[in-house]
Amino acid sequence: MQIIANYITVKQNNFEIKDILFSLKDNENLVITGPSGSGKTSLAKAFCGQLFITGDLKIVYNKENNLLAKAVYVEQRYSIKNRSNTIDGYYQQRYNSSDNEDSYTVLEELKFILDDEQRVDFLLNELSIAYLKNKPLLQLSSGEHKRFQLIKALLNPAQLMILDEPFIGLDVASRKKLNDILSNVSEKGTKFIIIAGAHHHFPDCVTHVLELENGRQKTFIKKENFVATHQAATYFFDSSSLPLQHNNWNFENAILIKNATVKYGERTILNNINWQVKRGERWLLKGKNGAGKSTLMSLVSGDNPQAYANEIYLFDKRRGSGESIWDIKKNIGFVSPELYAFFDKNISCFDTVASGYFDTIGLYKKLSQEQINHINDWMKALNVADLAQKRLANVSSGMQRLFLLIRAFIKNPPLLIFDEPCQGLDEFQTEAFVKLVDDICERTDTSVVYISHYENEIPNCVTQVLELENGNQKIYFFNKKHSTQLTQ
């Protein structure tokens, strides 16, 4: 099949993508890349008919190809509905056992697409998630959810498939597996258009790169030439004006976990975990998709009821000793893929940040003038003050995530938990955010727990690692040049 775009224009939310000009022949696949807010997702949606196009766009399907003659768009995250078809999920729903009972299993959902269990088993094995076959969808981790979503799309591939950041949230092994699968599917006649942001992780099957900047086509070039000539810009957020200082928090351990175990049915997620995060320590929480990283963090953040069945101390106080969930959250700044997925995007960007003072998915309380000034200072420092009154839904996905990161910082908490914080950020925002974390850690004694599958996203301040594998733990010292194992 072929695609010919002749000076096409797309408009969405007062943003215009203009004068896009390129063509793809048979056996050619495209990556769309560029900074956050440059129009990547809007352009991709336009190709599959979700947004109106002016200009001349021709998609010529192959009549001799047995694949579906249509374009399929695979979003960054799939919306899940239960058996009652009444809800599409809420934050940390996967830890609610009663809702899990009403959730379809992975196999049931996939068989709605293609009733071929042999093909389902093959793809589950290819992406190393065969163990999820009979698991409720609501229990999937962020990385497991991404792999499930890709399998769902690849079960019955169309002639044109548009994948929005397919490698986001995948561990190293899963990225390699997906690369091989895309090559195989491409050889069988599917053309791919792939949105890629921060990592420039271009699959082997990709032949061309379309780079956008501020809604305009910066370049259309062969992949090997783009990789050879492209250089990332370098800039940082200016945190010097932010009122950061060492705090006199009265605790020894931000986190102390003793012999913690979490099970769902027959499967053990965490097995006898012992972990101590002292005040001012910075940790990397590491492990493959589904290793239990987010589950462990949900015990700390107060979102998992199994915390009360384990011996867990936060800021030297034992969980379950009479504190409310709000008493726990007030000392923690937190961001995760789940929080992004279920956050209320109908509120303004300013209110998104402000909700961090109250740990709510929305703003329901009045702010003090001091809080308002503090929010404005943060927005100015991160160069987003001009977006303050825009609806969160009306800014790019990268900017949405950036506002949620500011939300985590806003109350200057003694503990910051960053669960894959750079998902959806472009390469420049990622570089600037990592430097910002280092700046804050240098100026304060904030404790940090950081989760990422990419080494370039890990701040220099991180010095220790808790690695999870098959529910068990390893702890070792760390820096970006080498790792030294401490204990098994």
Side-chain angles (χ1 to χ4, degrees), residues 207-368:
T207 58
H208 290 77
V209 177
L210 173 65
E211 186 177 16
L212 301 179
E213 187 173 74
N214 296 322
R216 299 295 183 268
Q217 180 172 320
K218 184 177 180 180
T219 186
F220 174 70
I221 196 169
K222 288 186 177 181
K223 179 180 70 172
E224 58 268 25
N225 295 332
F226 177 84
V227 172
T229 61
H230 185 76
Q231 293 183 351
T234 300
Y235 70 91
F236 301 122
F237 298 130
D238 181 10
S239 63
S240 61
S241 62
L242 296 175
L244 301 173
Q245 67 281 323
H246 285 274
N247 295 277
N248 296 317
W249 292 307
N250 187 26
F251 64 88
E252 179 183 355
N253 297 310
I255 303 170
L256 181 60
I257 297 176
K258 297 183 177 181
N259 305 315
T261 295
V262 174
K263 293 183 178 182
Y264 290 104
E266 298 297 319
R267 186 168 179 239
T268 299
I269 307 299
L270 299 173
N271 180 37
N272 199 36
I273 300 300
N274 290 277
W275 188 29
Q276 180 183 33
V277 177
K278 296 180 181 179
R279 186 178 65 189
E281 289 185 341
R282 287 82 192 226
W283 285 75
L284 175 67
L285 181 56
K286 185 178 180 181
K288 297 178 180 179
N289 296 140
K293 302 183 298 296
S294 295
T295 298
L296 180 58
M297 287 297 89
S298 72
L299 297 178
V300 174
S301 64
D303 295 311
N304 193 324
Q306 292 204 41
Y308 299 103
N310 287 284
E311 187 175 355
I312 298 174
Y313 300 84
L314 299 178
F315 314 106
D316 295 339
K317 295 181 179 179
R318 179 158 183 180
R319 288 291 311 272
S321 58
E323 83 287 358
S324 71
I325 190 171
W326 308 112
D327 292 329
I328 297 166
K329 288 179 177 292
K330 71 181 181 182
N331 292 317
I332 301 174
F334 180 73
V335 71
S336 72
E338 286 82 8
L339 180 66
Y340 169 76
F342 296 115
F343 199 85
D344 181 3
K345 297 180 178 63
N346 289 312
I347 66 175
S348 71
C349 297
F350 184 95
D351 288 353
T352 296
V353 175
S355 69
Y357 282 116
F358 313 109
D359 305 297
T360 51
I361 312 293
L363 182 62
Y364 310 105
K365 294 184 179 181
K366 188 176 181 179
L367 298 169
S368 69

Side-chain angles (χ1 to χ4, degrees), residues 39-103:
K40 302 184 295 295
T41 297
S42 295
L43 183 59
K45 287 182 176 180
F47 287 143
C48 58
Q50 294 187 22
L51 294 176
F52 181 72
I53 291 178
T54 57
D56 187 16
L57 174 65
K58 294 182 180 179
I59 300 179
V60 183
Y61 293 103
N62 187 342
K63 295 181 180 180
E64 298 179 358
N65 193 319
N66 293 326
L67 300 175
L68 298 173
K70 67 175 186 177
V72 173
Y73 176 68
V74 182
E75 298 183 78
Q76 288 191 30
R77 187 177 177 93
Y78 169 69
S79 296
I80 297 173
K81 292 188 180 294
N82 62 10
R83 297 178 189 274
S84 306
N85 200 34
T86 55
I87 59 172
D88 59 1
Y90 57 84
Y91 176 58
Q92 298 296 28
Q93 184 180 14
R94 64 188 173 114
Y95 304 119
N96 189 325
S97 59
S98 61
D99 281 343
N100 287 330
E101 292 171 0
D102 196 34
S103 170

Side-chain angles (χ1 to χ4, degrees), residues 11 17 20 24 89-90 133 140 167 180 230 242 269 286 293 299 306 333 475:
K11 292 184 179 181
I17 306 162
I20 304 301
L24 291 175
Y90 57 84
K133 182 175 180 179
L140 303 191
F167 293 93
D180 295 342
H230 185 76
L242 296 175
I269 307 299
K286 185 178 180 181
K293 302 183 298 296
L299 297 178
Q306 292 204 41
I475 292 176

Side-chain angles (χ1 to χ4, degrees), residues 393-464:
N394 289 344
V395 300
S396 70
S397 61
M399 295 307 298
Q400 290 174 17
R401 287 176 162 93
L402 189 58
F403 282 113
L404 287 175
L405 290 170
I406 303 174
R407 177 184 182 272
F409 286 123
I410 197 64
K411 60 187 176 186
N412 195 28
L415 174 62
L416 289 167
I417 298 176
F418 294 122
D419 187 347
E420 301 192 58
C422 298
Q423 279 197 13
L425 301 186
D426 64 37
E427 60 184 318
F428 314 128
Q429 292 170 330
T430 296
E431 184 179 3
F433 170 74
V434 171
K435 178 63 166 59
L436 178 64
V437 173
D438 278 329
D439 288 346
I440 289 173
C441 288
E442 184 175 344
R443 295 173 58 189
T444 73
D445 53 354
T446 304
S447 304
V448 175
V449 177
Y450 203 97
I451 301 173
S452 177
H453 293 296
Y454 290 90
E455 188 165 325
N456 70 299
E457 294 179 358
I458 302 169
N460 291 324
C461 63
V462 170
T463 58
Q464 297 179 82

